[in-house]
Amino acid sequence: MNIRGKLIIIGGAVDKGSFTETNLDANVANNLNFFETGILKRILNESKNKIDSRIEVITTASKIPREIGPEYVKAFNYLGAKNVDVLHIEKREQATSQEVLDRVKAADVLIFTGGDQLRLTSILGGTEFHDLILDKYHNEDFIYAGTSAGAAAASNTMIYQGSSSEALLKGEVKITSGLGLIDGVIIDTHFVQRGRIGRLFQAVVGNPKVLGIGLGEDTGLLITNNEKMEAIGSGLVILVDGREIKDTNLTQVEMGQPISINHLVTHVMSKYDTFDLKTHKMNIQSSQYADELKMLSDD
């Protein structure tokens, strides 16, 4: 299936990515680290009408939506975007209102903020809003962008709870259905700062066909046609591929007991690296073997 939309999933921002300081211009070099190292700027560049694109910031996942929304508007405005607004959806009935649906229909970009991904799926899942974004993603030049919770909820399978320190104890990681824009992957965020690799290991060992994606802070993936993934931003993306697992004790141990896994394959991506979801092949943009590979291709 040819998917016209683009998916941009972001691991979350560290504190220096905040626009909450009152003296924005004086602190812009620090404040724009998250935004100008490629994430929000890339969203604008990839969008249908660039700085004229209609952008709606969806704050449903956040418990402080009135604070988070304006922060994104400031960031986009600083980067030249001219048509940005915040769409607060805090109850399921709001997700079926004609005003909300009309705004979503007109949007070129929806960006889903951080917070609690279970709020996203429980409030938006199965509504006309949900159906509309899936339709736009499949059939229009449209971008779904999500940071933190907004990223975790993008896939069909979603991690919604699990201790980082005890993630490799059986049963510690809780999984449910996400918004379903992309299948065959499971996404975890704030990956490096919060040490969540164990959560992804457990998610993958339980279903090795699913590719685990761990997004670091200030880091994202641009996914086109649900096939090609390109790393964007300043940090790391960890991929966990369980297809070659040789053995595990997952089904033998009791709940709460440690899990063993033999031969779990991982990849580490940084800016501009790409990964093909069909072939599971990774390309390192600045490979130390680039000259040799070029010679082979020329031959």
Side-chain angles (χ1 to χ4, degrees):
M1 179 185 294
N2 186 43
I3 295 172
R4 293 191 61 196
K6 297 170 186 173
L7 182 61
I8 297 179
I9 50 175
I10 307 158
V14 293
D15 291 342
K16 61 187 173 184
S18 174
F19 267 72
T20 54
E21 282 104 330
T22 55
N23 194 358
L24 171 63
D25 291 328
N27 293 292
V28 72
N30 292 326
N31 290 341
L32 279 181
N33 181 70
F34 171 51
F35 303 109
E36 280 200 325
T37 46
I39 307 275
L40 295 196
K41 189 70 172 177
R42 187 63 180 270
I43 291 173
L44 287 178
N45 290 342
E46 293 288 338
S47 66
K48 181 180 179 181
N49 296 305
K50 309 301 189 257
I51 61 173
D52 294 314
S53 288
R54 178 63 185 159
I55 301 171
E56 295 281 4
V57 180
I58 312 297
T59 59
T60 304
S62 177
K63 292 181 180 179
I64 49 170
R66 309 293 163 173
E67 297 174 35
I68 292 293
E71 185 171 328
Y72 277 88
V73 174
K74 283 183 184 179
F76 275 117
N77 287 344
Y78 196 91
L79 295 175
K82 302 174 181 177
N83 197 6
V84 188
D85 207 348
V86 181
L87 187 52
H88 296 296
I89 306 172
E90 298 169 356
K91 298 179 181 179
R92 283 184 64 82
E93 52 263 35
Q94 291 176 282
T96 60
S97 77
Q98 197 58 52
E99 178 190 356
V100 166
L101 296 176
D102 287 344
R103 285 174 63 174
V104 173
K105 287 176 184 176
D108 301 304
V109 177
L110 295 182
I111 180 161
F112 291 74
T113 71
D116 180 354
Q117 53 264 41
L118 204 55
R119 282 181 57 82
L120 277 178
T121 55
S122 62
I123 292 173
L124 302 178
T127 64
E128 291 179 65
F129 176 98
H130 187 193
D131 292 340
L132 182 55
I133 62 171
L134 289 173
D135 182 69
K136 286 175 70 73
Y137 180 65
H138 282 89
N139 300 305
E140 297 181 21
D141 186 355
F142 164 76
I143 292 177
Y144 173 108
T147 181
S148 190
S155 55
N156 193 51
T157 305
M158 179 184 85
I159 296 173
Y160 72 93
Q161 186 179 327
S163 163
S164 298
S165 61
E166 299 180 343
L168 274 174
L169 301 181
K170 183 176 178 178
E172 282 297 319
V173 178
K174 306 298 190 296
I175 295 173
T176 188
S177 297
L179 295 177
L181 283 89
I182 183 170
D183 201 6
V185 301
I186 189 165
I187 302 159
D188 210 352
T189 59
H190 295 284
F191 198 69
V192 177
Q193 190 181 61
R194 300 185 187 176
R196 287 179 168 172
I197 195 163
R199 298 199 336 175
L200 210 52
F201 283 172
Q202 180 161 173
V204 170
V205 75
N207 184 5
K209 185 179 180 181
V210 174
L211 179 74
I213 299 175
L215 299 169
E217 291 74 21
D218 298 347
T219 308
L221 283 174
L222 165 64
I223 304 175
T224 53
N225 201 33
N226 280 7
E227 291 180 7
K228 181 183 176 183
M229 305 196 303
E230 177 191 342
I232 58 178
S234 62
L236 300 175
V237 178
I238 312 296
L239 303 180
V240 179
D241 188 345
R243 294 174 309 148
E244 296 183 28
I245 289 175
K246 297 185 184 301
D247 196 8
T248 177
N249 64 350
L250 181 66
T251 61
Q252 303 302 112
V253 298
E254 300 294 328
M255 296 294 285
Q257 293 301 304
I259 299 170
S260 302
I261 311 169
N262 181 11
H263 208 264
L264 185 61
V265 175
T266 61
H267 308 277
V268 182
M269 299 176 69
S270 59
K271 194 173 183 179
Y272 303 130
D273 293 344
T274 59
F275 188 88
D276 190 312
L277 285 168
K278 276 195 168 181
T279 63
H280 278 230
K281 299 295 184 184
M282 178 178 163
N283 179 63
I284 296 178
Q285 176 69 16
S286 301
S287 168
Q288 61 184 340
Y289 304 119
D291 292 340
E292 296 175 29
L293 292 171
K294 185 177 186 303
M295 288 175 62
L296 288 173
S297 64
D298 290 343
D299 292 341

